[in-house]
């Protein structure tokens, strides 16, 4: 059985053996020739920051839930596989394995970090060696003054995109000035442009990592909400845009809500895989059954 980070163990081909990996980290698994292996991988949830809006009632948005990918593979020769379990995003902090960071530039307008992806790798265990990925959810946008923050996008949204990867499943975009879901890399959410103080745009995603959330705009006494970090995935989700501070031209100002981060995409190298979006709360998980 699995005993810890980076620990190798042998999964016999005789009689079904099920191992569940729930602790974020990296595990090495030895699979015997002639085995049939079924994986159920779950990406991690984006962070819920819950920054108060200043009115005593409004809080940050909700982090997007991680996606699920299920696939069965046949192993013809003895094979080492690497299992990576994504970590949930927290307040401003990115989740392990690809989550993008939220923003904590202003403590009263902090946003959630993106959730990390869970994946399976063979060969050299590099990004190109991933055979299955479950995308992580985007982090929540922070609230502005009197306005609830944007909701993070779900990881692994079940919408097939035409990008050359037949089984790449796009993550969904976040709410508000939200980052886009990732397939070829999600774009960051636009900044909030306002009369008094502009926010900052969310960062674009890289190949597997979610983009960081944009900082909020602020005045001396009113603030907007920061954008949430994008979720990790086969392609990461874009960071949510930070919101600005608006005014009505008569001395009244209010902060807009930050955008949620986009969800990371899911992937499988086999054509009979199945995908579900927005199912996992908390840390990611991988269930491995060997026959």
């Amino acid at each position: 059985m699995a005993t810890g980070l980076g620990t190798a163990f042998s999964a016999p081909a005789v009689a079904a053996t099920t191992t569940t990996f729930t602790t974020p980290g990296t595990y090495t698994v030895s699979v015997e020739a002639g085995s049939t292996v079924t994986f159920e991988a779950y990406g991690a949830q984006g962070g819920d920051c819950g920054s108060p809006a200043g009115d005593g009632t409004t809080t940050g948005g909700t982090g997007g839930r991680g996606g699920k990918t299920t696939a069965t593979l046949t192993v013809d020769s003895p094979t080492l596989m690497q299992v990576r379990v994504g970590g949930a995003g927290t307040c401003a902090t990115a989740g392990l394995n690809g989550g993008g960071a939220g923003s904590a530039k202003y403590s009263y307008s902090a946003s959630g970090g993106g959730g990390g992806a869970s994946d399976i790798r063979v060969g050299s265990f590099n990004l190109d060696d991933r055979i299955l990925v479950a995308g992580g959810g985007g982090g929540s946008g922070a609230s502005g003054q009197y306005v609830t923050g944007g909701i993070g996008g779900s990881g692994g949204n079940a919408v097939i995109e035409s990008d050359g990867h037949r089984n790449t499943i796009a993550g969904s975009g976040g709410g508000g000035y939200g980052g886009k879901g990732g397939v070829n890399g999600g774009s960051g959410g636009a900044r909030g442009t306002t009369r008094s103080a502009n926010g900052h745009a969310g960062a674009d995603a890289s190949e597997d990592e979610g983009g960081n959330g944009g900082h909020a705009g602020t005045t001396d006494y009113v603030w907007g909400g920061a954008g949430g970090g994008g979720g990790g995935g086969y392609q990461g989700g874009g960071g949510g845009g930070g919101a600005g501070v608006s005014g009505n031209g008569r001395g009244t100002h209010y902060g807009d809500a930050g955008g949620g981060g986009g969800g990371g995409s899911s992937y499988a190298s086999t054509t009979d895989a199945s995908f579900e979006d927005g199912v996992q709360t908390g840390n990611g998980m991988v269930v491995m059954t060997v026959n």
Side-chain angles (χ1 to χ4, degrees):
M1 63 180 293
T3 57
L5 182 68
T7 301
F9 69 96
S10 180
V14 179
T17 301
T18 298
T19 305
T20 301
F21 303 87
T22 57
T23 301
T26 302
Y27 304 84
T28 302
V29 181
S30 176
V31 181
E32 296 183 2
S35 300
T36 300
V37 187
T38 299
F39 288 103
E40 295 178 46
Y42 301 80
Q45 185 178 19
D48 296 335
C49 210
S51 295
D55 60 357
T57 61
T58 309
T59 59
T62 302
R65 296 186 178 190
K68 176 184 178 183
T69 303
T70 303
T72 298
L73 310 169
T74 299
V75 178
D76 295 325
S77 59
T79 302
L80 283 177
M81 295 184 174
Q82 188 180 81
V83 176
R84 296 196 179 198
V85 179
T90 58
C91 190
T93 302
L96 182 68
N97 205 25
S103 170
K105 183 175 182 180
Y106 306 109
S107 60
Y108 45 77
S109 182
S111 56
S118 294
D119 66 65
I120 312 300
R121 307 184 188 197
V122 297
S124 299
F125 303 153
N126 297 319
L127 287 179
D128 290 341
D129 300 311
R130 293 176 294 174
I131 59 173
L132 182 148
V133 181
S140 65
S143 58
Q145 198 166 23
Y146 308 105
V147 185
T148 300
I151 297 172
S154 297
N157 191 28
V159 178
I160 295 178
E161 298 288 337
S162 177
D163 72 329
H165 299 290
R166 178 175 179 181
N167 295 305
T168 300
I169 306 300
S172 65
Y177 302 97
K180 303 301 181 184
V183 175
N184 287 323
S187 57
R191 66 177 183 169
T193 55
T194 60
R195 181 189 299 268
S196 301
N198 294 331
H200 297 261
D204 295 343
S206 63
E207 182 176 2
D208 65 315
E209 296 181 346
N212 295 339
H215 300 314
T218 183
T219 65
D220 291 338
Y221 55 92
V222 181
W223 59 89
Y234 188 72
Q235 301 287 348
V245 175
S246 298
N248 62 7
R250 298 186 297 275
T252 300
H253 297 80
Y254 58 91
D256 293 325
S265 66
S266 295
Y267 168 80
S269 60
T270 178
T271 58
D272 60 354
S274 63
F275 304 90
E276 297 179 54
D277 67 307
V279 298
Q280 181 70 0
T281 59
N283 291 324
M285 178 173 65
V286 174
V287 180
M288 176 183 181
T289 301
V290 180
N291 287 287

